[in-house]
Amino acid sequence: MSSTFFIPAVNMMGAGSLDEAMVAIANYGFRKALIVTDVGLARAGVAEKVAALLAAADIQSVVFDGAQPNPTVGNVEKGLAQLRDSACDFIISLGGGSPHDCAKGIALCATNGGNIADYEGVDRSAKPQLPLVAINTTAGTASEMTRFCIITDEARHVKMAIVDRNVTPLLSVNDPALMVAMPKGLTAATGMDALTHAIEAYVSTAATPITDACALKAIELISANLRTAVENGSDMPAREAMAYAQFLAGMAFNNASLGYVHAMAHQLGGFYDLPHGVCNAVLLPHVESYNASVC
């Protein structure tokens, strides 16, 4: 059986990688960024910090902080309008899964036109999205490096899955220094999301030796470091290990796909607007125990 392995062209990891990314962005020749983030990161000054680093590299930017948890069609439309009004030539997503997914939706519609709902399903777009640099601040979703984009259709109360090679970011950045401020609850929820990704990819019928290797290493790193990261958020080795773990889990599920846990979690999240990582944490032991009982 043949298989294809999807991953961004460039991925920067570890302490100090944010500064390294600014050099790479400048070398691409981009002139103006739409920074897609959420209200919390904007208020905390993280978006302002990234904007200042861009300015030092002679790159202009504007901030769209309208990416809400479980980003919606409306979020994408508002961000797309700001992108066009500001004449931005690339996008930076800053945050966890919600800003990344919102930015992917904006970037895809910017070049392909139409509404993000037009691209629900697998490889529905015709053109590459606007260049996207994904700067990660959590250790869970791996949306900074995947071809998955999850957008809530608020009218239908449904989480749409856009699975498209054209939403893969150009560059991903995982600097653990940006993850230190995560509260315990968010650290735990995102860590469980990463664990779920790894387990579901490992038992997937589409798994390969490459995805299995990524999944098993992710499980090992999460087991050894998640508890420490939750209890002591300033533990940089644990934060960095979790950054690598969630990325490895992303490599696994980006290519082997997911299963029952995410299928159910997306339905609950779309209908009740629940935190994605918490849904996975609750569902994972029940689904896996059921799988074990019928196998």
Side-chain angles (χ1 to χ4, degrees), residues 42-99:
R43 288 177 178 169
V46 182
E48 184 179 356
K49 175 183 177 180
V50 171
L53 290 172
L54 290 169
D58 198 27
I59 299 169
Q60 301 178 53
S61 64
V62 293
V63 175
F64 172 69
D65 63 3
Q68 66 189 61
N70 299 318
T72 66
V73 171
N75 295 162
V76 172
E77 290 175 345
K78 288 180 181 178
L80 182 61
Q82 185 170 344
L83 173 88
R84 289 169 172 163
D85 289 345
S86 302
C88 298
D89 61 347
F90 79 113
I91 298 174
I92 291 179
S93 57
L94 175 65
S98 296

Side-chain angles (χ1 to χ4, degrees), residues 142-193:
S143 185
E144 83 283 356
M145 55 77 63
T146 69
R147 59 192 173 108
F148 288 77
C149 172
I150 309 299
I151 302 294
T152 297
D153 184 332
E154 55 267 63
R156 293 186 291 152
H157 297 286
V158 168
K159 274 193 169 186
M160 300 183 298
I162 294 98
V163 185
D164 197 312
R165 65 187 67 201
N166 284 331
V167 303
T168 304
L170 173 68
L171 167 66
S172 78
V173 183
N174 274 283
D175 190 329
L178 295 173
M179 303 174 185
V180 171
M182 273 197 295
K184 288 185 176 183
L186 183 59
T187 301
T190 54
M192 287 302 297
D193 190 23

Side-chain angles (χ1 to χ4, degrees), residues 22-261:
M22 294 300 145
V23 177
I25 292 169
N27 288 339
Y28 283 121
F30 299 137
R31 302 308 308 158
K32 190 172 185 180
L34 177 72
I35 301 174
V36 177
T37 190
D38 57 41
V39 172
L41 287 170
R43 288 177 178 169
V46 182
E48 184 179 356
K49 175 183 177 180
V50 171
L53 290 172
L54 290 169
D58 198 27
I59 299 169
Q60 301 178 53
S61 64
V62 293
V63 175
F64 172 69
D65 63 3
Q68 66 189 61
N70 299 318
T72 66
V73 171
N75 295 162
V76 172
E77 290 175 345
K78 288 180 181 178
L80 182 61
Q82 185 170 344
L83 173 88
R84 289 169 172 163
D85 289 345
S86 302
C88 298
D89 61 347
F90 79 113
I91 298 174
I92 291 179
S93 57
L94 175 65
S98 296
H100 296 320
D101 282 359
C102 186
K104 288 175 178 179
I106 296 168
L108 196 66
C109 290
T111 55
N112 284 273
N115 185 284
I116 189 59
D118 298 334
Y119 307 103
E120 183 177 7
V122 179
D123 289 334
R124 298 288 301 276
S125 69
K127 302 175 184 177
Q129 67 180 3
L130 200 68
L132 172 61
V133 174
I135 301 174
N136 210 21
T137 65
T138 67
T141 70
S143 185
E144 83 283 356
M145 55 77 63
T146 69
R147 59 192 173 108
F148 288 77
C149 172
I150 309 299
I151 302 294
T152 297
D153 184 332
E154 55 267 63
R156 293 186 291 152
H157 297 286
V158 168
K159 274 193 169 186
M160 300 183 298
I162 294 98
V163 185
D164 197 312
R165 65 187 67 201
N166 284 331
V167 303
T168 304
L170 173 68
L171 167 66
S172 78
V173 183
N174 274 283
D175 190 329
L178 295 173
M179 303 174 185
V180 171
M182 273 197 295
K184 288 185 176 183
L186 183 59
T187 301
T190 54
M192 287 302 297
D193 190 23
L195 179 62
T196 307
H197 290 158
I199 293 172
E200 287 194 272
Y202 185 67
V203 301
S204 169
T205 57
T208 69
I210 297 175
T211 62
D212 282 350
C214 293
L216 289 172
K217 186 61 178 181
I219 293 168
E220 175 189 329
L221 287 170
I222 293 166
S223 177
N225 293 280
L226 179 56
R227 295 175 184 85
T228 301
V230 170
E231 291 303 315
N232 180 13
S234 61
D235 188 310
M236 288 301 292
R239 287 292 192 192
E240 185 160 337
M242 284 303 302
Y244 275 104
Q246 68 90 35
F247 189 90
L248 284 164
M251 290 174 66
F253 89 81
N254 196 37
N255 297 283
S257 199
L258 295 165
Y260 287 146
V261 176

